[in-house]
Every structure is written in C-alpha cells, then in structure tokens.
Amino acid sequence: MLAVTLAASLSAFSQTFTLKGIVTDDEGNPLELATVSCVEQQKIVFTNLKGEYHMTMLTADSVVIRFSMIGYRGRTKTLYKPQGTQTLRILLRADQEIAEVVVTEKRRQTDQMEQLDVSEMKSSPSASGNAVEELIQQQAGVSTHNELSSQYNVRGGSFDENSVYINNVEVYRPLLIRSGQQEGLSVINPDMVERVGFSTGGFSAKYGDKMSSALDITYRRPEKFEATATASLLGGSAYVGTSSKKFSMSHGLRYKTNRYLLGSLETTGEYRPNQLDYQTFITYEPNRRWTLEVLGNISENHYNFKPKDRETSFGTMEDVKSFRVYFDGQEKDIFRTLFGTASLTRHLGDSTHVKLLWSAFHTKEQERYDIQGQYWLNDTQSAEQLGVGTYAEHARNYLTANVQSLKLMINRRLKHHDIEAGLTYKWEHIKEQSREYEMRDSSGYSVPHRPDRLDLIYTLASKQNMKSNRIEGYVQDVLKWSSRNTGDDADSVAPRHTFYTLTYGLRFANWSYNRETILSPRVSLAIVPASNYDLTYRFATGLYYQAPFYKELRDTMLTTTGVTAVTLNRNIKSQQSIQFLAAVDYRFKMLGERPFKFTAEAYYKLLSNIIPYNVQNVKVTYYGENLCNGYAVGLDMKLFGEFVPGTDSWLSFSLMRTQQKYHGQWVPLPTDQRYALNLHFTDYFPGTKRWKMTLRLAYADGLPFGAPHRGIEAQNFRAPAYKRADIGMSYLAFDHKVQGVKSAFKKVWLGLDCLNLFGISNVNSYYWVTDVTSRQWAVPNYLTGRQINGKLIVEF
C-alpha cells in the first residue's frame, strides 16, 4: 500500500504540461526574441519571428512564468496546477516612463537603421540648440568640427550627402548658409520627436539618393494632454499636445539667439542673430480605415553682424605671431523657410495600407555684407612687421527655391515578408542672383599684383533660373525566416534556431535636367546564431548614388579676366558609391548585471564620378564637374550601456581614410578625418537621483586645408585636432509623484551647462594674409570659448 501511494505521488510530481502562445506589442506586432522563463524550474525560451513560443514544464501547485524584453514592461503570469496544454497570448507595452526606466534598446537591430534613444536629449548640454543633430554627431562614423552648426559628415561624405526624412518626407536645408554663426534652428523640433532612426551606410532602398547617411524622424502623436516649456540664455521653446478619440494635434514654438555664445569669439562686435520657428502636426482618424496627417513648419532666421575688431595669436611657443584687425561695415542675412506635408492613408485590413503624400518646400534667402578690415601681422618676438594691409569683402546673394512632391506608398505584410513600394514625382524651381568679390591690399599693392591691370583676388557672378522634374521610385522586401539548430534533438524541449533577416530592394530615379536615369540595388542580411542569441552579424552592400541638386551643378571652374562666371552643367552625372559593410553586435551584462552592447562595423566605399569641392566653415563650393574617383575605408566601434545604474552612456571610436584621385594625383578629401573619439556619460550625484550630470567629450583629427582659390591639389596642410568638453548638471526641483501633490506642473528641472569646459581654442577655418612677395600666412579663425548657460524645463 505504501509503495502504491509513493508511486502515485512520484507520478503526479513528474507530470508535465505544455505552455505555448504568442507575445506582441501594444500595436499587435509580434515580438521576436522576447524571453519566456520559469525561474523555479530553470527553463527559458525565446519567441520566434512570429512572436510564438513553446515550452514543456513540470506541473506544480503554482508555476510562475515571466515574459520580458528590453525596452518593454515585463509581465508575470501564475498558473495554478496546470495540466495538458496551456495557451497564453501576452501583450508587452513599451516602457515610456523615462524618469524611472531608461529604454536602452527596443528591438534588436536587424538592418542598417539604428534606433537611437532620445530620452536624454533635452537634458544634455547644447551649444546649437539642435538636440537631434547633436545626438547624431556623437555617433560612431560621424564627425563635426563646429559646435555652432547642425551639419555633420558621415564616413568621409560631405554635408550634402546626408538625407533627412520627417514622417516619410525628405526635407531640405537653406542653400546659402556659409557659417555656423548664420545657422539657426534645424527643421527637426526635438520636443515633437518620438523616434530617431539613423544609418551611417548600407541603408535600404526606401531612403533617397544620397551616398552617406539616412536620418529617419517620426513625430509623436500625443495620446493625452502634454506640454513642455524651456528657457535658457540661448533661447526658449514651448510645446503642447492634445488628443481625443479620433483627433490629435501638437504645436511647437522655438526661439533661438546665440548672441551670448557668439560673444566668446575673437572677433568682437555687435551680434544680433535670432530665429523663430513654428511647427504643427495634426492627425485625424475618422475610423480604422482612414488616417489624415498634416505637418506644417514656418521658420525665419535673421543674422545681423557689425564687426569691430579682432586680435589673434598663433604659432608655437618659440615663434608667436600676432594678427590684429579693425573692421568697418556690416552683414545682414535673412533665411525664410516654409515647409508642409499632407498625407492620406487607406488601411486595407491589418496587413496592407496605401498612402498618398504631398509635400512642399519654399526658401527665400538673402546674404548681404560689406566688410572692410585693416590688418597688422607682427612677429611678437622681434616686433617685426610681417604684413600690413586692407581687405574688403562684398556679397549680394539672393536665392529662391521651391520644391513640391507627390508620393504614393504601398505596404503589405505577409507571413514572412514586409513588402514596401513607393513612387515620387518632384517639381523643382530655383532662382539665384549672386555677386561676390574680395579685395586684398598689402602694403599699398593690390593682390594679385599685375602691372597692366587691377585685378581682385576673387570675383564671382551668377544669375540662374533652373526648372526641373524628378521621378523616383523603389520597391523593397524584408524577409524573415529561421532554421533549427542541427545539434538539437527532434524531441528537444527548447530547440534553438538561427534567425535571418534579409532586406533587399531596388531604387530608381530620373532627372529631367541632365536626362540621367540611375538604378540602385541594395541588400543587407542579419544573422542571429543559435549558438548565442546575444550576437548579431550584419552584412550589407549596394550601389548608391548622390543625385546632383543645385549646388553640385554650379560650375565654378571658368574664370575670365579675373571674374568667375558661374554656369550650370547640364552634363553633370550622379556621384557613385559601391559600399561593402560587415558588422557585429554583442549584447552582454557586467557591473552587476547591467545591460551593455558593443558594436563594431567595418566598411569600404568605392567612389566614382566624384564632384570635387572645397569647404570654408560650413560652405561647400563644388567644381561642377565629375573629375575624380576615390575610396573611403574605416572601422567604427561603439560601447553602449548602463555605466551607472539607470542611465545610458556610450563611448565611440572611429578610424577612417578617404582619398580622391585628381589629375593623376591622390589627395585627401576635405572630410578626411583619420580618427575620432566621443564619450557621452551620464551619472547621478551620490545619494540622490534629483541631481544628474551629463558629460560630453570629443577628440577628433583635424581636417585637410590649403590656401584659398588654389584647388584641392593644394590641400597640403592639416588643421589641429578638434577637442571639446561640455558638461551639464540638472536638478529635479519638483516632481508631482515624489511630492504626492496635485499640481499643474508634472516636473520642473533646473539646469546649468558649462560649454567648452576647458576653454580650448578650436580652429574652424583660416584667414590667409598675403604680402607683396606672394608669401601667405594662415591665421586661424577660432570657435567659441568657455560659456555658462542656465536653463529651466517645465513639464505640464
């Protein structure tokens, strides 16, 4: 009798049951590689590409199952005396409470588009006020040498090789901007951003005809009332969003004046820059079948400047030179931009939708300056006067551009496929009238000195009226599948699979102006091996084009009697880049089980049909002809994780070499930054989470440069390395949850930033002084010095 009872007990104890089901997000999309675990029985499985899971466990009085995925709120289910087959459909909601949980990664990266964490943007120290671009500038493979500018270079590409999308619409920048001082706010409003996707190469066919990078911005649709107000010494912003069952809208207003920051430049005078930017995003869903979205932007930027004087010391400790200038004149610039989109989406069931999207961009730009400077260049050791003279710069540049587009997009989701196609038609109309000249007088002689006539060192004239049309289209598919590990038994309780994601597509475009048609095939593959789910291998290749826009067309090579007459080259061809990329992502835990991720990516870009260009400050001047071939090769590495519990930090390091062959001679591209190191570190003060510190460090190789108006073959010098440290401290003065009181305020933050903490004089560009013997002296133009910025952030 005792034996029978014991046998029955053992039989009940060893009885098993089957648990299966699916894990989805709050939009019903399956979550792949989510974790399903039972700690008591030491069982763990991962969901497959469809979000499905299956596991066999021992029955008990209660069995606790944990469902989790990084970036989502975990859920726990308790099963009481489970038997047979149990089916659970689990919904994991994205964790949006930034103050309590830092979202380090929502999904595993299985393509070349990395989703960046935007939660800490507003609390980071900022010199330009463009939080999204400053986040991009800290990524591996990205470089910038001007804290006043929102522009950036990616893996040896120029500023113009980066495409930017907001809600599936490509956006444009003003065309006449030539300095970081002129730049105002970028078109991206960080208060309205929900997601930021960024790719440094190998991106899919849906992104336009640019060779270097793609930035994909998605604006947030508020689900309830929310508002934020920010004020600082460099400007302010206000944001408000509201929502009902069928309707949502958000409004953002920004004001920027970097007058305080420009006061730290060596050129003293009266700086009066200011910009006002307003944006609105409206969504209407009358039912589940239709969605209407409208996005509007109005921006006006004024830059007024009356220089007074400057004094610059440069050279070495043993050989110090002094450059002093007294100015007369002023500069007045206006950049007025209008941008709008409207889209109508028809949902044909849960897996198919069709979208018709219209957009329009208008810019009216005026750049006017007459500035005269009288200079003295001296040797401080011997008091020898090396040069004395006068220079005068004049410009009357006017440009108006209008771009409209109509885009049709279709998306279809199948069992293993995500198919997307798009067709775009664009109308472009650009009018320009420009006149520039520069006069240099050294010791009473005009430079260049000719005995028979008076020539200026630089004169440019341009009058253009260009109309053109573009047709662009693409089709792409994301194919996902898995294969069982051959080492697993057929009866294995938790068989392991290798997961594959193949993204392939074709892009085409035709431009009426040069009658060129281009085809751009692209493919990428991601592999998550069964041997280690913490590893992801990524490979990508493709043929990428840089379709010319107005700036690349301007042929500045023809000079007659000292005057450069700009013409538009109808025979210009798209620049071409064949790219090969290989990457590995490794997720691991250390420092007390805190999550980390290490990424390494090697790339090679074979460049052809290059249009050479020169860079002065942020102004890019093209030759207007396809004259070069070249290459770019490099390695990018990034370590991302919780160096401090509850905060995200990262360290990136990049190595690169890029050259072009010009008239049989290999010369570096103007963006040849051989190395770069960036650190973004966040920490809390000991004993409290009310005080938060953010430190940003940058150390990057200097860029090639040479004397002006001498061509790229004369870029024989290299600027000093760019070194900068910014630190910001934020104090949570009020939190209605902590205080436990009802208030109109949700949170109140007080911030104090120290920009350029160590007061390093970084070189932005050079002014070249020429004496009558034609000897030239490169006088550095330094960027901003150390400044303190205070700010207030109020969340409603």
Side-chain angles (χ1 to χ4, degrees):
M1 183 66 180
L2 178 61
V4 174
T5 304
L6 180 60
S9 300
L10 291 173
S11 176
F13 179 76
S14 61
Q15 186 177 356
T16 62
F17 74 99
T18 300
L19 178 65
K20 66 177 184 177
I22 184 172
V23 180
T24 66
D25 61 15
D26 49 7
E27 295 181 355
N29 301 313
L31 293 178
E32 61 187 78
L33 296 181
T35 302
V36 184
S37 61
C38 178
V39 177
E40 291 81 1
Q41 299 188 26
Q42 298 183 348
K43 290 291 186 69
I44 181 172
V45 298
F46 297 90
T47 58
N48 60 18
L49 296 175
K50 305 175 190 177
E52 299 171 342
Y53 64 92
H54 181 281
M55 60 194 307
T56 301
M57 292 179 292
L58 297 174
T59 190
D61 290 339
S62 64
V63 179
V64 180
I65 310 297
R66 172 72 176 172
F67 300 85
S68 62
M69 184 173 181
I70 296 177
Y72 292 81
R73 293 192 181 100
R75 294 189 61 183
T76 300
K77 286 288 186 179
T78 302
L79 306 178
Y80 296 98
K81 296 183 179 180
Q83 295 181 359
T85 300
Q86 303 285 325
T87 302
L88 290 179
R89 183 182 181 93
I90 300 298
L91 185 150
L92 297 183
R93 298 188 182 276
D95 201 331
Q96 302 293 339
E97 189 54 51
I98 294 168
E100 297 179 1
V101 178
V102 177
V103 179
T104 56
E105 181 186 11
K106 285 192 174 182
R107 289 179 181 269
R108 182 187 299 266
Q109 184 179 346
T110 55
D111 56 16
Q112 289 301 114
M113 184 64 65
E114 180 184 6
Q115 297 300 317
L116 302 181
D117 177 16
V118 299
S119 61
E120 303 294 333
M121 284 195 308
K122 291 186 288 185
S123 62
S124 298
S126 172
S128 69
N130 299 308
V132 173
E133 285 84 355
E134 290 187 337
L135 177 65
I136 297 299
Q137 291 168 358
Q138 298 177 73
Q139 304 305 310
V142 183
S143 64
T144 181
H145 287 75
N146 191 336
E147 64 270 8
L148 294 173
S149 175
S150 63
Q151 304 194 56
Y152 49 87
N153 306 111
V154 177
R155 292 179 174 175
S158 73
F159 298 139
D160 301 317
E161 295 179 22
N162 307 310
S163 60
V164 180
Y165 287 80
I166 299 180
N167 291 6
N168 294 309
V169 176
E170 187 173 9
V171 298
Y172 299 85
R173 298 176 182 269
L175 299 174
L176 291 183
I177 292 289
R178 61 184 176 85
S179 70
Q181 293 92 310
Q182 290 175 306
E183 276 196 45
L185 295 162
S186 78
V187 67
I188 304 171
N189 188 331
D191 290 331
M192 304 174 71
V193 170
E194 181 181 36
R195 293 192 302 273
V196 174
F198 182 64
S199 174
T200 52
F203 40 88
S204 62
K206 68 179 293 185
Y207 299 106
D209 300 307
K210 299 291 179 72
M211 292 196 303
S212 290
S213 74
L215 176 59
D216 191 354
I217 303 294
T218 303
Y219 273 4
R220 181 171 62 253
R221 293 170 58 180
E223 298 180 355
K224 58 183 179 180
F225 176 81
E226 55 187 24
T228 305
T230 304
S232 76
L233 297 176
L234 302 178
S237 66
Y239 163 79
V240 61
T242 186
S243 177
S244 62
K245 186 176 181 180
K246 298 181 179 181
F247 181 82
S248 69
M249 65 176 177
S250 56
H251 305 273
L253 182 67
R254 294 179 292 164
Y255 172 74
K256 175 183 176 180
T257 175
N258 53 2
R259 180 177 182 178
Y260 169 69
L261 191 61
L262 297 179
S264 65
L265 297 174
E266 288 191 330
T267 300
T268 63
E270 184 181 349
Y271 291 92
R272 289 186 292 122
N274 59 81
Q275 181 181 10
L276 190 65
D277 175 278
Y278 168 75
Q279 296 190 30
T280 183
F281 179 44
I282 300 173
T283 302
Y284 176 60
E285 286 187 325
N287 50 54
R288 296 186 60 185
R289 296 187 302 274
W290 295 95
T291 302
L292 174 66
E293 295 182 343
V294 176
L295 173 64
N297 171 231
I298 302 174
S299 176
E300 181 147 334
N301 177 20
H302 292 256
Y303 178 73
N304 299 319
F305 174 45
K306 288 184 178 181
K308 183 180 178 182
D309 57 49
R310 70 173 278 187
E311 183 171 359
T312 303
S313 297
F314 63 100
T316 63
M317 293 292 292
E318 295 79 17
D319 185 18
V320 180
K321 304 294 189 297
S322 174
F323 181 66
R324 180 175 296 179
V325 188
Y326 295 96
F327 295 101
D328 186 26
Q330 64 179 338
E331 177 176 356
K332 289 187 175 182
D333 306 327
I334 301 176
F335 304 92
R336 184 176 294 116
T337 303
L338 304 175
F339 171 67
T341 72
S343 67
L344 182 65
T345 304
R346 177 67 163 91
H347 302 276
L348 304 174
D350 295 332
S351 59
T352 306
H353 69 262
V354 180
K355 176 180 287 189
L356 183 64
L357 199 154
W358 169 86
S359 69
F361 168 80
H362 168 81
T363 180
K364 187 173 184 180
E365 306 172 23
Q366 301 177 12
E367 185 182 45
R368 300 168 295 175
Y369 56 83
D370 286 284
I371 296 177
Q372 176 181 289
Q374 295 180 332
Y375 65 84
W376 287 262
L377 178 64
N378 300 320
D379 188 318
T380 60
Q381 304 294 329
S382 64
E384 177 187 358
Q385 192 171 81
L386 303 174
V388 59
T390 302
Y391 70 87
E393 297 177 344
H394 165 90
R396 292 294 184 273
N397 299 331
Y398 304 92
L399 183 142
T400 302
N402 293 283
V403 179
Q404 292 191 63
S405 69
L406 191 64
K407 184 176 184 178
L408 178 66
M409 299 176 63
I410 302 175
N411 181 264
R412 171 73 169 170
R413 289 186 179 182
L414 301 175
K415 185 176 182 180
H416 295 288
H417 298 264
D418 189 350
I419 304 170
E420 183 176 333
L423 183 65
T424 306
Y425 189 82
K426 292 183 179 180
W427 300 265
E428 302 166 345
H429 184 199
I430 301 175
K431 295 175 63 177
E432 179 203 13
Q433 184 168 341
S434 297
R435 184 76 178 183
E436 301 178 4
Y437 68 75
E438 181 180 349
M439 183 275 291
R440 292 189 190 177
D441 180 282
S442 179
S443 301
Y445 292 89
S446 179
V447 180
H449 178 65
R450 286 186 170 86
D452 56 336
R453 69 172 189 261
L454 178 64
D455 282 346
L456 301 179
I457 195 170
Y458 167 70
T459 304
L460 180 141
S462 177
K463 187 174 183 179
Q464 315 294 339
N465 188 358
M466 187 195 81
K467 293 182 179 180
S468 61
N469 302 315
R470 293 180 197 261
I471 298 177
E472 301 173 352
Y474 70 91
V475 58
Q476 71 174 42
D477 178 29
V478 180
L479 171 62
K480 295 185 177 183
W481 77 97
S482 63
S483 62
R484 183 192 293 266
N485 186 12
T486 56
D488 286 335
D489 297 330
D491 298 328
S492 176
V493 173
R496 297 181 68 86
H497 292 72
T498 297
F499 296 89
Y500 303 89
T501 302
L502 178 67
T503 304
Y504 59 98
L506 177 67
R507 186 174 184 87
F508 69 90
N510 176 270
W511 194 27
S512 64
Y513 194 80
N514 63 356
R515 298 180 181 178
E516 180 188 31
T517 300
I518 55 178
L519 294 175
S520 175
R522 309 173 186 181
V523 60
S524 68
L525 174 67
I527 303 174
V528 181
S531 59
N532 190 343
Y533 283 163
D534 290 324
L535 280 173
T536 304
Y537 300 103
R538 292 183 285 111
F539 308 92
T541 186
L543 174 59
Y544 292 81
Y545 288 92
Q546 177 75 19
F549 196 53
Y550 181 71
K551 290 168 67 176
E552 292 96 321
L553 288 178
R554 300 172 81 247
D555 190 339
T556 58
M557 298 288 287
L558 180 62
T559 301
T560 307
T561 63
V563 178
T564 300
V566 177
T567 59
L568 300 185
N569 182 6
R570 281 189 173 271
N571 297 318
I572 200 79
K573 298 299 181 182
S574 297
Q575 301 177 85
Q576 187 180 103
S577 171
I578 302 177
Q579 301 185 10
F580 303 92
L581 302 97
V584 59
D585 302 327
Y586 177 54
R587 302 192 301 180
F588 60 98
K589 292 185 178 182
M590 66 177 186
L591 301 178
E593 294 299 307
R594 281 177 257 160
F596 285 83
K597 176 183 174 183
F598 174 75
T599 298
E601 185 164 321
Y603 60 90
Y604 179 80
K605 299 195 290 188
L606 183 62
L607 309 175
S608 58
N609 285 340
I610 297 176
I611 306 172
Y613 61 90
N614 290 307
V615 180
Q616 182 70 8
N617 204 310
V618 298
K619 181 180 181 180
V620 180
T621 303
Y622 290 90
Y623 281 37
E625 297 181 26
N626 303 99
L627 300 174
C628 300
N629 295 321
Y631 69 90
V633 59
L635 174 66
D636 296 330
M637 293 175 285
K638 180 180 177 182
L639 177 62
F640 178 93
E642 293 188 18
F643 291 87
V644 175
T647 66
D648 286 339
S649 302
W650 65 86
L651 175 68
S652 66
F653 180 67
S654 300
L655 297 171
M656 185 191 69
R657 183 65 168 165
T658 178
Q659 289 186 308
Q660 58 188 344
K661 196 170 188 179
Y662 180 71
H663 293 329
Q665 177 185 356
W666 284 102
V667 296
L669 268 76
T671 55
D672 182 36
Q673 179 180 274
R674 296 170 298 185
Y675 59 86
L677 179 68
N678 285 279
L679 171 67
H680 182 103
F681 181 74
T682 306
D683 194 1
Y684 292 104
F685 279 55
T688 179
K689 287 196 173 183
R690 283 181 171 271
W691 282 97
K692 183 168 62 175
M693 182 277 294
T694 302
L695 175 66
R696 292 174 47 184
L697 300 177
Y699 187 91
D701 185 28
L703 299 178
F705 74 96
H709 318 302
R710 290 201 175 182
I712 59 174
E713 66 275 15
Q715 307 285 310
N716 300 319
F717 308 100
R718 189 172 288 269
Y722 180 83
K723 304 177 286 290
R724 186 175 176 90
D726 297 326
I727 188 170
M729 290 175 286
S730 301
Y731 174 66
L732 183 58
F734 177 81
D735 186 340
H736 76 103
K737 288 186 176 180
V738 175
Q739 266 77 11
V741 297
K742 290 186 177 180
S743 172
F745 303 126
K746 181 180 179 181
K747 293 179 182 177
V748 177
W749 288 90
L750 300 177
L752 186 67
D753 300 339
C754 183
L755 307 174
N756 196 358
L757 176 64
F758 301 117
I760 299 172
S761 297
N762 287 304
V763 177
N764 177 36
S765 58
Y766 289 86
Y767 180 76
W768 290 79
V769 177
T770 308
D771 60 23
V772 291
T773 65
S774 295
R775 184 172 54 175
Q776 293 189 316
W777 304 85
V779 182
N781 298 315
Y782 293 116
L783 287 162
T784 58
R786 183 189 297 112
Q787 291 290 89
I788 301 296
N789 180 36
K791 58 186 177 182
L792 170 69
I793 302 176
V794 181
E795 300 178 16
F796 299 90

